[in-house]
Amino acid sequence: MLVHIPSELPSTLEEIKINDNHLHAIDEDGLKDLKNLITLELEGNKLSEANVSPLAFSPLKSLSYLRLGRNKFRIIPQGLPTTLEELYLENNQIEEVSEICFNHTRNINVIVLKHNKLEEHRIAPLAWINQENLESIDLSYNKLYHVPSYLPKSLLHLILVGNQIERIPGYVFGHMKPGLEYLYLSFNKLTDDGIDPVSFFGAYHTLRELFLDHNELKSVPFGIDEMRKLRFLRLNNNKIRTVPPERICKAHLDDDVHDNSEEEENEDSRLEHVHLENNYINTRQLSPHAFSCIRSYCSVVLKPQKSK
């Protein structure tokens, strides 16, 4: 039933958890002297930008892990510690990410903003594009209509489950170094028109997992055959009717031209899991070459299918 953070906490503390209380303010002295604090959890309270001082976090010279989920924030709190590495703000009412939010958090690695009210045009172009350590962003269950532009250069994990996304804009991943590895777009509104070969430009050689299940795709998107490192592909629960021979597996040369060189060995896909169940595929009509690059047939899930 705490309403305020207890005063006179020992300065040696490294971890404080005050989740699911009734905190409704943190003034600028609320966390004073806690220079050794590494972890701070304040989830499930009544905190907002109106009652948390922009100076509240400034005494925290060692903080790396901050949880503020299930509060009442409409914007990302100001004055975040420069040492911060992980920030959790899920289940708030956040509507925008301004270009100054993360100006001073150069070490930030993980940002979780799922279950908020973000639209892509309310994420400022300079909000996080120049972050060099930001590897994971979770924007699931917001109000996004397409994959946001100006994502961090360093991004490896992008989680966009449960939005209204209809489109992956061309070259949206093109500036990333070393490149995106995990892209989760399940439970959106993607159609064939919303994905084209340049949608994945910049991620062809790095993507390991691609989740496009529970969308409105009628065919397997172009470009998957170019994804050399892809291990896990989810296309289940769409409206796909067939899998053309060269859409998942690159076309092989004629057999008599091949010798058993290493190059051919490298042509084998790394795909370990391909989910295509709950579509409209007539499995009897599939080409024998549709999955020829996948080493193990048990890696391909085709049953059950929906009838017309």
Side-chain angles (χ1 to χ4, degrees), residues 63-65 81-87 107-111 134:
L63 196 75
S64 67
Y65 185 90
T82 55
T83 49
L84 198 62
E85 293 178 18
E86 297 188 27
L87 175 63
N107 298 319
I108 202 154
N109 182 252
V110 176
I111 296 175
L134 184 46

Side-chain angles (χ1 to χ4, degrees), residues 1-159:
M1 310 293 283
L2 293 172
V3 178
H4 296 289
I5 294 172
S7 55
E8 309 300 325
L9 290 167
S11 61
T12 49
L13 272 178
E14 293 183 4
E15 187 172 303
I16 301 176
K17 300 183 181 182
I18 314 181
N19 300 319
D20 297 295
N21 274 272
H22 298 276
L23 299 182
H24 58 59
I26 310 177
D27 60 29
E28 59 187 89
D29 297 328
L31 297 160
K32 71 171 193 293
D33 300 330
L34 296 173
K35 61 181 185 299
N36 294 307
L37 198 66
I38 296 167
T39 298
L40 176 59
E41 298 191 9
L42 300 170
E43 298 198 327
N45 283 289
K46 296 174 181 175
L47 300 173
S48 73
E49 64 281 355
N51 60 30
V52 175
S53 164
L55 300 172
F57 302 114
S58 56
L60 308 177
K61 303 298 182 198
S62 310
L63 196 75
S64 67
Y65 185 90
L66 177 59
R67 297 198 81 108
L68 293 169
R70 292 183 291 113
N71 278 289
K72 305 270 192 273
F73 289 99
R74 288 181 181 277
I75 59 170
I76 287 164
Q78 292 181 294
L80 294 170
T82 55
T83 49
L84 198 62
E85 293 178 18
E86 297 188 27
L87 175 63
Y88 296 84
L89 278 165
E90 68 275 13
N91 296 93
N92 278 279
Q93 287 146 34
I94 293 171
E95 295 174 5
E96 69 167 329
V97 183
S98 76
E99 60 183 57
I100 59 165
C101 289
F102 302 110
N103 270 3
H104 304 293
T105 51
R106 309 313 295 175
N107 298 319
I108 202 154
N109 182 252
V110 176
I111 296 175
V112 176
L113 287 165
K114 63 186 176 187
H115 292 284
N116 277 289
K117 297 180 175 180
L118 283 164
E119 299 174 40
E120 60 274 358
H121 65 274
R122 303 292 302 275
I123 301 173
L126 295 174
W128 43 36
I129 191 167
N130 292 316
Q131 293 288 336
E132 291 178 3
N133 296 299
L134 184 46
E135 294 184 349
S136 178
I137 293 180
D138 188 346
L139 291 167
S140 302
Y141 303 100
N142 275 280
K143 296 181 168 185
L144 303 172
Y145 285 90
H146 51 75
V147 173
S149 301
Y150 311 108
L151 290 160
K153 293 175 188 172
S154 51
L155 201 64
L156 301 178
H157 295 81
L158 180 58
I159 308 160

Side-chain angles (χ1 to χ4, degrees), residues 233 248-249 252 267-274 276 289-300:
L233 174 63
I248 290 177
C249 292
H252 274 292
E267 276 297 288
D268 265 7
S269 163
R270 296 194 185 187
L271 274 166
E272 292 171 11
H273 302 276
V274 180
L276 281 159
H289 302 295
F291 306 109
S292 57
C293 61
I294 299 169
R295 291 176 182 179
S296 163
Y297 266 102
C298 60
S299 302
V300 183

